[in-house]
Amino acid sequence: MAKDEINAFLGAGTAYQGKLHFQGSVRIDGVFHGEVTSEGTLVVGQEADVQGTINVGQLVLSGRMTGEVHAREKIVLHRTANLQGCLFTPVLVVEEGAVVEGSITMNGSPKAETVAE
């Protein structure tokens, strides 16, 4: 399986509520309220509305998200992204036009903090 391959797709026009645990990559284009946990990548499409607690390896956001987001590797906010809440990530990429309302905490990875002597 290719690294960028989507394992599951929650399509537009659908609504989900609860807990989502996955491996690999999942794309949400509908409405999701609840908790997402994964070491993988969560892709939130432009028409999506996600609310809850997110704890993933990477987040790629193009739609609307409300809540607390923890990404161990990286968060990418595309120009259509609208995020309200708290972000915790070592790397943040924000395209011009993206909206963030809340707090951002960026703590570098242990490798970045290591100083060669």
Side-chain angles (χ1 to χ4, degrees):
M1 175 174 24
K3 185 176 179 173
D4 59 350
E5 186 175 324
I6 300 290
N7 296 51
F9 180 76
L10 309 178
T14 56
Y16 302 88
Q17 184 170 348
K19 294 183 179 183
L20 174 63
H21 301 275
F22 65 90
Q23 293 181 343
S25 298
V26 167
R27 180 179 175 108
I28 297 176
D29 280 332
V31 176
F32 182 89
H33 294 189
E35 179 181 315
V36 178
T37 305
S38 177
E39 295 290 324
T41 301
L42 176 63
V43 178
V44 178
Q46 188 171 342
E47 300 301 316
D49 183 1
V50 176
Q51 296 180 24
T53 303
I54 312 299
N55 193 339
V56 293
Q58 293 186 46
L59 170 67
V60 179
L61 179 63
S62 297
R64 181 174 186 81
M65 181 174 283
T66 305
E68 186 170 301
V69 180
H70 295 263
R72 283 174 289 291
E73 296 174 31
K74 175 169 62 171
I75 294 176
V76 177
L77 303 177
H78 290 291
R79 63 181 181 81
T80 55
N82 184 316
L83 195 144
Q84 297 180 353
C86 303
L87 294 178
F88 301 88
T89 184
V91 177
L92 178 62
V93 178
V94 182
E95 287 185 357
E96 184 176 348
V99 175
V100 178
E101 294 181 27
S103 65
I104 300 171
T105 303
M106 295 179 64
N107 22 352
S109 66
K111 290 180 183 177
E113 294 173 7
T114 303
V115 177
E117 293 182 21

